Amino acid sequence: MAQWAVILPGPQWATERLFHNEGLAVAGAAGAVAPDEEVLLVADGHVVALCRAAKTDGDDLVLTYLRRQFDAPVPAEGVGGAGPVEVDPEFFRRLVSQLSGANAAGLPSWLVSVALPIEAGSPADAVRQFWSHVRELGPAELPAYVWPSGDELAMLAFVLGAEANQDPEEEDED
């Protein structure tokens, strides 16, 4: 079996970072990669995940995640090109060994909250309005508040997957 690297286009990488998906389809990358072969997913010059080729869907290469390292990616010097690129097995193993993966064992628990003040005539109507606002605003406008379990004072706001200052007084000081 060969080992591969696939470059994820910038707009798809920006979207992929926002959601927890089990896999993804890379447009136009089908071809040489066979089902069950391992693929390094590269974005912005860094390895961000280890995947397994699931199948092809027309011109799209369908991958399932084995390990993700979106927040601290591994530099992928020497990996580039269009479409899937076969990678030297030793180089591939070295990059894979640097991926810590997304194993939840032993990791701290993180809590996430989205708060919207909604006035409604009934609890059911309030819930409908809540989900409508979430869908309408989405990750580009609606901050998600994240903190480690048991440490609410460490709460951070995130918009579009990146930390975002939500204190208007601090913005006025700039």
Side-chain angles (χ1 to χ4, degrees):
M1 282 190 160
Q3 286 92 21
W4 302 90
V6 172
I7 309 299
L8 193 61
Q12 187 175 5
W13 168 234
T15 301
E16 196 63 27
R17 290 189 65 206
L18 291 176
F19 301 98
H20 183 89
N21 297 310
E22 296 302 316
L24 72 156
V26 181
V33 181
D36 293 328
E37 289 186 318
E38 292 186 334
V39 177
L40 293 172
L41 192 60
V42 179
D44 292 334
H46 292 80
V47 176
V48 297
L50 173 65
C51 302
R52 182 173 315 282
K55 60 179 180 175
T56 57
D57 186 15
D59 289 337
D60 297 347
L61 174 62
V62 179
L63 303 170
T64 55
Y65 286 111
L66 299 174
R67 294 187 203 169
R68 305 166 215 244
Q69 195 157 326
F70 288 0
D71 299 325
V74 175
E77 296 173 20
V79 177
V85 177
E86 192 166 355
V87 178
D88 173 71
E90 188 174 313
F91 182 62
F92 184 90
R93 283 191 297 277
R94 186 171 57 80
L95 289 173
V96 168
S97 72
Q98 295 177 47
L99 292 173
S100 62
N103 184 354
L107 295 178
S109 296
W110 289 84
L111 302 174
V112 178
S113 175
V114 175
L116 291 171
I118 294 175
E119 295 180 16
S122 71
D125 189 38
V127 170
R128 281 189 292 277
Q129 287 184 43
F130 172 84
W131 287 116
S132 293
H133 287 309
V134 168
R135 183 177 55 212
E136 179 183 319
L137 296 173
E141 296 181 49
L142 185 61
Y145 299 94
V146 182
W147 66 96
S149 181
D151 189 6
E152 290 81 11
L153 295 177
M155 185 181 294
L156 299 170
F158 278 76
V159 176
L160 279 177
E163 190 175 338
N165 183 7
Q166 297 295 301
D167 187 347
E169 291 181 10
E170 286 184 18
E171 290 176 2
D172 290 341
E173 293 174 5
D174 291 340

